[in-house]
């Protein structure tokens, strides 16, 4: 077992949970498994995944103590079940595991949309089982059990969205769990989460997918040049446009209203910007481009971004930022 | 003098140019100065900048052999003059240096727009002086003489756009210069350059400036949360939206037609995507999000992007890509 990265819990003598069931071992689920093992946040890790090749890989990587072909089997007897599947799959998984759940168990998830998750999962849980949805705001553009790593959640925010009337002790246990994995924990309503994430995450993905799609539709010769000369800015967008298609399809289907609201604002602003360019409004452009610079400084200041130029991918002889 | 990074020319016994004049010592100009010094691509480096504090910093950093307060003085007797100023400033600089230029001298630039540069500069050059515009497709979001570094151009493309009837020997000397600095060199017409860069660089910057602007205009409380939870995707956009405002204002003013053309395509695609979300077109979203993934793989394959997840800014224990 490797060292625990600074900022994560030292391996616990007494685990927070006896048995954690992780349903879905993609980037997020497999990173949770790795971090739970490293910190001993749970005594037993049970895992299931709908795809046999994922389960085989989980076995090879030694990510779980028990590997089950069905979610219901993994969830049986667990005191914490975390659904790590695309948002659209939550209802079906909840329906299947409901009968296996023990009184006092906590069901959580990692979805990027929260109001829809509550609606999908809550009806399937028996009395005495606590639903405490969570969203670790962390990830990379890669997918699958090989893409995960221990420190994915370290210094990243995890947002907990307890339903009205949620059991405070259950909520606190989920908060403690994410703190053990190195996250900063924040609590808010599902509706507020969905609005904030629509602008910080969903709209950026939408725009990135769109511009990369526009490039993909160019005539063949021009498209080859776009790839060749992508260092001019375009390549930045291709990273998030390489994210998991199923996960992101579901985000847009299940957070439709907030996404369309933010897209509306974006479109209004883009029309104004287009007009400035067409009319040659030099002062207007300069003013906007100056204002946007300040936002990045704020993000670097709160530790959510590297100060190194070019995300640090610039050469080693580049200045490393303030 | 430090070692020459792999892929750049070893320090030349015989410099390519006797005297290079660099007009404007920002990120690009100062990186050229550093790389010329390291490779001995020119015997004497003369520098001028319109801002006294930049010149003072150039002196402190030892970036040039001769430091002049005026462009005309720096350019006098140079066999290569490189204009490294915002595109909109080129005409004025060319008008001022014209009378100082010697027959046989080459004037080049580094602007992100090329047709406009030719129109602005050519009329001011005396007979026997060669105009060979160039665009190194490289940079970071930082500005000024402290932001530059030796290997900025290494393995990046430099696009040369010779005007009709340009002297082939002069063009070849500029190509050789950029190869010495480690660049891959490509030649095309100014019009074609402006179209390709509109999609690979100008539109991405426009979109990034716009989305960061949309966020900047949110109500105060929401804006603070955007900064806090920016790791969900938004922070990627803030990098290029932190680029130099003067430079980018000029790009949009001087490549208006190609930018508006590409923006038109982007807007059509965005309307179609918006419609898919509103109508819940699950298959359409999945198909688009799958197609965009392939473009990034192409960029990584041609060596213009790191394969490491999250641009390599992810933790050291993350998998480092294929």
């Amino acid at each position: 077992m490797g060292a625990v990265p600074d900022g994560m819990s030292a391996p616990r003598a007494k685990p927070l949970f006896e048995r954690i069931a992780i349903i879905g071992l993609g980037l997020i689920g497999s990173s949770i498994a790795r971090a739970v093992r490293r910190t001993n946040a749970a005594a037993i890790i049970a895992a299931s995944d709908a795809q046999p090749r994922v389960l085989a890989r989980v076995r090879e990587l030694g990510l779980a103590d028990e590997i089950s072909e069905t979610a219901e089997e993994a969830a049986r007897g667990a005191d914490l079940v975390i659904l790590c599947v695309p948002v659209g799959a939550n209802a079906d998984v909840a329906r299947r595991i409901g009968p296996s759940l023990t009184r006092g168990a906590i069901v959580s998830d990692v979805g990027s949309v929260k109001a829809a998750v509550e609606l999908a999962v809550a009806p399937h849980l028996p009395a005495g089982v606590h639903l405490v949805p969570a969203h670790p705001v962390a990830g990379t553009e890669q997918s699958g059990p090989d893409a995960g790593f221990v420190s994915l959640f370290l210094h990243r925010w995890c947002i907990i969205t307890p339903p009205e009337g949620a059991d405070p002790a259950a909520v606190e246990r989920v908060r403690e769990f994410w703190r053990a994995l190195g996250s900063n924990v924040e609590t808010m309503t599902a509706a507020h989460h969905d609005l904030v994430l629509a602008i910080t995450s969903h709209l950026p993905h939408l725009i990135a997918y769109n511009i990369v799609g526009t490039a993909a539709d160019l005539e063949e010769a021009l498209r080859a040049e776009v790839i060749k000369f992508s260092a001019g800015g375009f390549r930045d967008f291709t990273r998030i446009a390489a994210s998991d298609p199923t996960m992101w399809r579901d985000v847009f289907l299940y957070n439709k209203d907030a996404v369309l609201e933010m897209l509306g604002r974006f479109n209004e602003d883009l029309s104004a910007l287009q007009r400035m360019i067409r009319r040659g409004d030099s002062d207007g452009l300069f003013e906007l481009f100056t204002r946007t610079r300040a936002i990045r400084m704020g993000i670097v200041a709160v530790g959510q971004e590297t100060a190194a130029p070019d995300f640090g991918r610039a050469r080693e002889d580049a200045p490393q930022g303030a």
Side-chain angles (χ1 to χ4, degrees), chain A:
Chain A
M1 189 182 286
V4 177
D6 275 352
M8 293 176 68
S9 167
R12 307 178 63 91
K14 186 177 173 336
L16 290 168
F17 291 93
E18 272 311 304
R19 177 186 174 93
I20 181 177
I22 303 173
I23 314 299
L25 277 287
L27 168 69
I28 302 293
S30 76
S31 293
I32 293 176
R34 287 174 171 95
V36 165
R37 180 83 86 195
R38 191 71 67 89
T39 58
N40 200 31
I44 296 168
I45 302 175
S48 83
D49 195 287
Q51 298 183 61
R53 62 173 178 79
V54 170
L55 272 196
R57 195 67 191 127
V58 167
R59 194 181 306 274
E60 283 165 18
L61 293 166
L63 295 179
D65 300 301
E66 291 180 23
I67 295 178
S68 309
E69 285 179 19
T70 65
E72 41 274 45
E73 195 180 318
R76 187 163 293 127
D79 46 355
L80 175 62
V81 180
I82 306 189
L83 312 182
C84 305
V85 296
V87 167
N90 276 320
D92 182 54
V93 174
R95 188 183 48 73
R96 289 191 286 115
I97 65 172
S100 314
L101 296 171
T102 323
R103 194 172 181 85
I106 296 172
V107 173
S108 189
D109 78 314
V110 296
S112 301
V113 172
K114 301 266 59 104
V117 167
E118 195 180 322
L119 289 173
V121 175
H124 301 290
L125 304 187
V129 169
H130 307 292
L131 174 61
V132 185
H135 176 205
V137 186
T140 76
E141 69 278 22
Q142 303 195 347
S143 314
D146 285 285
F149 53 100
V150 165
S151 66
L152 178 62
F153 311 110
L154 183 61
H155 303 316
R156 296 277 84 88
W157 287 95
C158 183
I159 304 176
I160 317 278
T161 60
E164 228 181 291
D167 176 53
V171 172
E172 184 48 38
R173 289 188 73 195
V174 172
R175 295 172 59 96
E176 198 175 353
F177 175 81
W178 282 103
R179 280 195 297 262
L181 271 46
S183 292
N184 308 322
V185 176
E186 181 66 271
T187 305
M188 60 180 71
T189 66
H192 188 67
H193 167 280
D194 289 354
L195 185 67
V196 171
L197 271 286
I199 177 77
T200 59
S201 179
H202 306 171
L203 183 60
H205 277 78
L206 189 70
I207 296 308
Y209 278 122
N210 194 68
I211 193 170
V212 178
T214 301
D217 288 344
L218 292 171
E219 313 80 86
E220 175 88 24
L222 202 50
R223 190 169 65 231
E225 291 187 300
V226 168
I227 288 175
K228 192 166 169 179
F229 303 118
S230 59
F234 179 73
R235 63 177 178 165
D236 280 25
F237 291 76
T238 63
R239 187 185 79 79
I240 57 181
S243 301
D244 186 64
T246 308
M247 172 190 157
W248 282 96
R249 175 199 64 195
D250 284 4
V251 166
F252 296 117
L253 295 177
Y254 288 88
N255 197 25
K256 180 158 77 173
D257 293 345
V259 167
L260 290 176
E261 156 67 22
M262 288 301 171
L263 182 55
R265 296 191 191 202
F266 174 88
N267 274 328
E268 286 164 25
D269 294 345
L270 190 59
S271 294
L273 181 47
Q274 184 167 8
R275 187 164 180 273
M276 282 196 264
I277 293 173
R278 201 179 291 279
R279 296 163 61 100
D281 179 358
S282 169
D283 292 346
L285 293 173
F286 185 82
E287 189 277 324
L288 171 63
F289 299 169
T290 303
R291 209 148 45 91
T292 51
R293 214 170 201 185
I295 294 270
R296 184 168 181 85
M297 291 167 59
I299 294 175
V300 172
V302 299
Q304 291 296 310
E305 178 61 291
T306 173
D310 215 9
F311 302 122
R313 72 182 162 197
R315 317 295 168 189
E316 58 202 29
D317 63 325
Q320 286 311 300

